[in-house]
Amino acid sequence: MTVSSAVEAIVTSEYEHGFVTEIASDTLPPGLDEGVVRAISARKGEPEFMLDYRLRAFRHWQTMTAPRWAQVHYPPIDFQAISYFSAPKSKDGPKSLDEIDPALLETYTKLGIPIEEQMALSGIAVDAVFDSVSVATTFRTQLAAAGVIFCAISEAVHDHPDLIKQYLGSVVPHTDNFYAALNAAVFSDGTFVYVPKGVRCPMELSTYFRINARNTGQFERTLIIAEAGSYVSYLEGCTAPMRDENQLHAAVVELIAMDDAEIKYSTVQNWYPGDAKGRGGIYNFVTKRGDCRGARSKISWTQVETGSAITWKYPSCLLRGDDSVGEFYSVAVTKGRQQADTGTKMIHLGRNTSSTIVSKGIAAGEGEQTYRGLVRIATKAAGARNHTQCDSLLIGARCAAHTVPYIEVKNPTAQTEHEATTSKISDDQLFYCRSRGLTAEDAVSMIVNGFCKEVFKQLPMEFAVEAQKLLSISLEGAVG
Amino acid sequence: MLSVKGLRAKVGEKEILKGLDLEIGRGEIHAIMGPNGSGKSTLAHVLSGRDGYTVTAGSVTFDGQDLLALAPEERAHLGLFLAFQYPVELPGVNNTYFLKAALNAIRAARGQPELDAVAFMRLMKERLKVLHLDDSLLKRPVNFGFSGGEKKRNEIFQMAMLEPKLAILDETDSGLDIDALRIVADGVNALRNPERSVILVTHYQRLLDYIQPDYVHVLARGQIIRSGGKSLALELEEKGYGWLGIEEAA
Ligand SMILES: Nc1ncnc2c1ncn2[C@@H]1O[C@H](COP(=O)(O)OP(=O)(O)OP(=O)(O)O)[C@@H](O)[C@H]1O
Ligand SMILES: [Mg+2]
């Protein structure tokens, strides 16, 4: 088997999480106007300030047009054809796991998220978001003992309005971009984390998102605040059922790290990528930004992006505090007709700030991807340093990888380094592995995993294993 | 155990093997010599199932099975091993991890249980000693940045670990210094047993001083044109290929 025939098989491999959950849901009809924004806010029983926030964002959004500058191709999105709210039907929010619809729990089990087991065994707190509502939050009590708040953002709006007023939109204002404005207007749920001063969060926090209903957009909102000297590690995982239509996912994630605080944010994104002909799949247009507000604070983004029809996102760091540190570790896989335009922005504002970028792009089939990265060193950022490593691995001859680095240096004492490589899995490598008894599939996954090692190292142990598996699955079927 | 009959094979439109016959019995060591470009590596590749060659005639049976019908990994599972003339680099793939995956894939295909990490390490230590290989190579990516000689020794180390029934060593001696040559030869000799057969492709009689072959063949113009005992190699060394009525280089 040659690399190209291996790729043929890879491209036709099936999406594992494509089942649909039959569950009654409360869904708003498609369309977006002020009434819809009000309806969302009303359904969530939100206080006045939230409604005002949403309406401001909505009015601003109406003045904007959808951006087209990314190296991705898709027909214009009809924002009036999307439903902006969908929730599993139930009276109130669940109080415990027993109250959750068994069909829902089964969905999570199929996805391999052991909610119950996790409660007993693994010490990972899970906040599961099903369509637009957070349905299960475990480990709340244990976290509360440490003073950590970990809840649905819709609950935080009620229970911690001061924190929400102070921080929501403080990193990604609703004026930031088209999709950020849209999200601010219609976000339905998401996760809120608050780690008080000096607290090391006693467990990994994790959220699994899943888009189930047809024609719904998912607009979740995540806000994580790490007070001075605190530490938190957070992981999100994403899957969605197979649908012929495209679905929009426009999330906003805001991270805030005060003096000496550290936030590790890891994403394993496996949204439905669409079929081999490019029908269906998620449009993953996300704004993620971390604000290293305090001195010596640190924010690391680690992402493994294997899914979505189109991925368009740049998890970024604003390095405002002196000696603060930003990191971005990324693996992005595009196969079939998938497209990705992803990278990061490291904005150095404080003195002696440093940032590290490691981007690993894997393109197979007719996958197309672009690494787009900005390193900006402001006038006052004396002694700032950046190291960027940007590698692409091509599998087959019909895929493409582009690298678009922007470097702006306004301070002469700054140091920036950029390294880029492009390599291919060759027929020789495939044959060498096979002659040792490995299947072509094993060979491809072994080489790809080797290529991504630097990034996987950054993931929490159990998720590194999961990410590796996911990568193997997403490149599965290599034996024809 | 290996029976090649009237084998013809093409690369693209060019016929390289033109009716090749070769019989290898269990436990035998066969040396194949021949001018550059005569088709030695092509034979090794066709036997191990590399893409890009078209077999137009002839047959190959291995332990009674039609070898040509099998995928390369299936041939490895049956116990075929090729030490490459030019070993391939696998950046990012750890050498130890690679070997363990390969060994366990072969074991799984044979219905044997997987070797666990401890048993595997024990086996590896034992085999390393035989080949005097620096174990720092095991922590590095497969062949990546290895010197020419290190790559060749790594091939033999893999062979020692995978314990094939038939090993084809394609110019493993080329590029080795004198000490390394002796070490590799010792390694091959240590693995010699009545069940294991070896095909040594070489240009130099010197290797055959260390590894005593049972048979020596001359491959030229895509055929075995002469077979004999150890003395044939000595004769070739002395007289060159011209003596057999062929040019030095094809
Ligand atoms: N992919 C290819 N395309 C065209 N010709 C090829 C290809 N591969 C091999 N050949 C040719 O086939 C012939 C035999 O090559 P082969 O590598 O088998 O020789 P060899 O006997 O191993 O030589 P050496 O002693 O130099 O290693 C050579 O003329 C070579 O150029
Ligand atoms: Mg050769």
Side-chain angles (χ1 to χ4, degrees):
Chain A
M1 166 173 320
T2 62
V3 168
S4 56
S5 57
V7 167
E8 230 24 79
I10 286 165
V11 166
T12 51
S13 76
E14 300 231 334
Y15 184 70
E16 269 216 337
H17 302 293
F19 53 89
V20 175
T21 303
E22 288 306 328
I23 203 165
S25 56
D26 167 21
T27 303
L28 282 179
L32 183 56
D33 56 21
E34 210 172 291
V36 168
V37 176
R38 286 179 187 279
I40 292 169
S41 187
R43 268 186 213 212
K44 305 198 133 292
E46 285 179 351
E48 196 66 26
F49 82 89
M50 270 313 300
L51 177 62
D52 289 347
Y53 177 81
R54 288 177 184 280
L55 289 174
R56 265 200 313 278
F58 177 69
R59 283 167 199 148
H60 186 76
W61 179 76
Q62 285 181 304
T63 69
M64 304 173 91
T65 47
R68 304 292 299 184
W69 49 264
Q71 175 95 4
V72 292
H73 317 282
Y74 59 96
I77 298 171
D78 180 358
F79 290 93
Q80 297 305 333
I82 297 171
S83 163
Y84 290 84
F85 187 82
S86 170
K89 253 194 193 121
S90 74
K91 309 116 251 162
D92 293 302
K95 303 288 177 296
S96 74
L97 282 178
D98 307 338
E99 290 178 34
I100 295 172
D101 189 325
L104 258 186
L105 287 182
E106 201 183 308
T107 302
Y108 291 122
T109 312
K110 273 196 221 165
L111 290 170
I113 312 163
I115 296 188
E116 290 130 313
E117 248 166 71
Q118 281 187 1
M119 294 194 75
L121 298 170
S122 69
I124 298 160
V126 176
D127 179 32
V129 175
F130 192 88
D131 287 355
S132 307
V133 183
S134 175
V135 290
T137 304
T138 54
F139 274 105
R140 294 264 288 273
T141 356
Q142 204 181 330
L143 288 168
V148 176
I149 303 169
F150 177 47
C151 64
I153 200 153
S154 56
E155 281 176 60
V157 165
H158 291 281
D159 300 345
H160 311 283
D162 293 342
L163 288 173
I164 295 290
K165 271 187 222 165
Q166 188 181 348
Y167 291 108
L168 188 75
S170 72
V171 185
V172 180
H174 68 264
T175 50
D176 190 83
N177 68 67
F178 182 84
Y179 290 102
L182 180 62
N183 176 287
V186 303
F187 77 87
S188 31
D189 220 327
T191 304
F192 177 76
V193 178
Y194 178 82
V195 191
K197 220 171 165 170
V199 170
R200 201 182 158 84
C201 185
M203 60 189 72
E204 304 275 351
L205 303 181
S206 114
T207 302
Y208 276 83
F209 292 107
R210 177 168 168 81
I211 296 177
N212 187 59
R214 197 177 284 268
N215 284 326
T216 51
Q218 193 173 41
F219 305 93
E220 76 297 326
R221 185 98 195 178
T222 300
L223 176 59
I224 299 179
I225 302 150
E227 291 283 14
S230 68
Y231 169 85
V232 62
S233 167
Y234 180 86
L235 182 121
E236 61 173 349
C238 326
T239 55
M242 287 199 246
R243 301 276 196 203
D244 289 341
E245 323 78 57
N246 294 103
Q247 278 176 289
L248 177 62
H249 173 82
V252 171
V253 176
E254 298 177 281
L255 311 182
I256 297 147
M258 302 304 195
D259 288 356
D260 301 294
E262 179 176 350
I263 302 176
K264 257 180 93 74
Y265 193 102
S266 314
T267 303
V268 175
Q269 185 266 114
N270 184 29
W271 299 118
Y272 177 52
D275 68 14
K277 297 219 172 77
R279 272 188 311 248
I282 300 290
Y283 291 163
N284 186 30
F285 300 166
V286 170
T287 307
K288 288 181 163 170
R289 195 172 302 153
D291 185 354
C292 283
R293 224 168 263 193
R296 296 166 306 277
S297 57
K298 177 175 176 184
I299 290 180
S300 323
W301 297 102
T302 304
Q303 60 174 24
V304 177
E305 305 275 333
T306 61
S308 292
I310 303 177
T311 295
W312 186 3
K313 66 176 223 182
Y314 314 91
S316 306
C317 295
L318 286 173
L319 301 168
R320 293 207 278 173
D322 290 346
D323 303 292
S324 61
V325 177
E327 293 175 339
F328 174 74
Y329 298 95
S330 170
V331 167
V333 180
T334 48
K335 59 171 197 212
R337 297 286 182 84
Q338 281 178 284
Q339 309 173 56
D341 190 314
T342 184
T344 184
K345 289 188 266 184
M346 292 292 174
I347 313 294
H348 292 254
L349 301 169
R351 300 164 63 86
N352 299 317
T353 46
S354 72
S355 61
T356 303
I357 298 171
V358 177
S359 163
K360 304 277 178 177
I362 300 158
E366 290 171 64
E368 186 168 346
Q369 64 175 273
T370 301
Y371 166 83
R372 193 183 299 276
L374 167 66
V375 175
R376 176 182 293 153
I377 295 182
T379 323
K380 288 183 184 152
R385 295 179 308 282
N386 165 267
H387 181 82
T388 298
Q389 172 77 44
C390 195
D391 301 322
S392 308
L393 182 67
L394 304 178
I395 309 178
R398 288 173 303 155
C399 52
H402 318 277
T403 303
V404 190
Y406 304 88
I407 301 171
E408 299 172 18
V409 179
K410 299 240 170 70
N411 186 297
T413 64
Q415 287 176 30
T416 61
E417 294 162 358
H418 182 95
E419 290 174 45
T421 66
T422 302
S423 50
K424 267 188 169 203
I425 297 184
S426 67
D427 287 349
D428 281 346
Q429 289 175 323
L430 217 51
F431 174 63
Y432 188 73
C433 294
R434 296 181 76 195
S435 77
R436 298 301 181 253
L438 300 163
T439 61
E441 198 173 275
D442 288 342
V444 168
S445 112
M446 198 176 267
I447 293 168
V448 166
N449 274 312
F451 176 74
C452 301
K453 213 166 4 187
E454 249 176 296
V455 173
F456 287 165
K457 265 200 319 232
Q458 300 298 325
L459 289 170
M461 248 299 259
E462 54 276 46
F463 296 120
V465 174
E466 199 169 303
Q468 249 183 46
K469 264 196 252 154
L470 183 61
L471 210 63
S472 307
I473 289 169
S474 82
L475 295 174
E476 199 162 74
V479 169
Chain B
M1 69 157 4
L2 181 79
S3 171
V4 181
K5 291 206 172 89
L7 185 64
R8 289 180 172 268
K10 290 196 297 189
V11 176
E13 285 309 300
K14 185 176 173 192
E15 185 164 66
I16 315 272
L17 301 182
K18 300 168 182 168
L20 187 142
D21 297 298
L22 186 63
E23 293 291 329
I24 297 195
R26 209 170 287 283
E28 293 173 358
I29 295 195
H30 290 241
I32 297 182
M33 306 181 80
N36 293 132
S38 57
K40 302 181 297 296
S41 295
T42 303
L43 173 64
H45 288 148
V46 169
L47 291 180
S48 47
R50 189 193 180 114
D51 265 330
Y53 300 91
T54 326
V55 174
T56 51
S59 68
V60 180
T61 54
F62 181 65
D63 268 351
Q65 291 210 48
D66 175 7
L67 197 66
L68 299 176
L70 302 175
E73 61 270 28
E74 292 170 326
R75 302 180 195 201
H77 299 161
L78 284 184
L80 188 70
F81 179 90
L82 169 63
F84 283 56
Q85 183 174 3
Y86 305 107
V88 179
E89 300 192 353
L90 302 176
V93 179
N94 176 275
N95 212 2
T96 305
Y97 179 77
F98 177 74
L99 256 180
K100 184 159 182 262
L103 182 61
N104 279 329
I106 291 173
R107 291 179 66 94
R110 294 178 184 166
Q112 297 165 330
E114 263 193 21
L115 275 194
D116 64 22
V118 177
F120 178 79
M121 289 311 280
R122 198 179 302 129
L123 181 68
M124 204 163 72
K125 285 237 168 69
E126 184 194 306
R127 297 291 142 92
L128 269 177
K129 244 185 274 160
V130 182
L131 289 165
H132 303 269
L133 204 65
D134 184 359
D135 64 0
S136 72
L137 290 181
L138 296 176
K139 296 178 188 126
R140 287 169 46 186
V142 180
N143 294 327
F144 188 66
F146 286 20
S147 77
E150 285 168 342
K151 283 182 183 169
K152 296 299 182 73
R153 280 158 74 168
N154 193 40
E155 294 290 287
I156 297 305
F157 176 59
Q158 290 183 2
M159 176 183 88
M161 290 296 291
L162 301 179
E163 301 181 327
K165 286 193 205 150
L166 172 64
I168 306 168
L169 275 47
D170 192 358
E171 294 197 30
T172 302
D173 53 335
S174 305
L176 289 180
D177 65 39
I178 311 245
D179 291 338
L181 179 67
R182 185 168 297 134
I183 289 165
V184 163
D186 287 349
V188 174
N189 285 327
L191 289 165
R192 206 167 170 166
N193 74 27
E195 294 300 307
R196 183 166 297 134
S197 314
V198 180
I199 298 176
L200 291 173
V201 173
T202 182
H203 286 294
Y204 308 106
Q205 138 69 21
R206 198 183 50 188
L207 178 70
L208 306 181
D209 287 339
Y210 296 112
I211 308 174
Q212 295 284 330
D214 299 303
Y215 300 92
V216 175
H217 308 276
V218 178
L219 200 168
R221 297 185 229 97
Q223 291 183 324
I224 301 288
I225 57 157
R226 187 84 160 225
S227 296
K230 169 98 214 296
S231 58
L232 178 56
L234 290 168
E235 230 167 324
L236 287 172
E237 176 106 323
E238 205 178 305
K239 303 181 182 163
Y241 292 112
W243 155 70
L244 290 169
I246 44 172
E247 301 298 310
E248 276 284 338

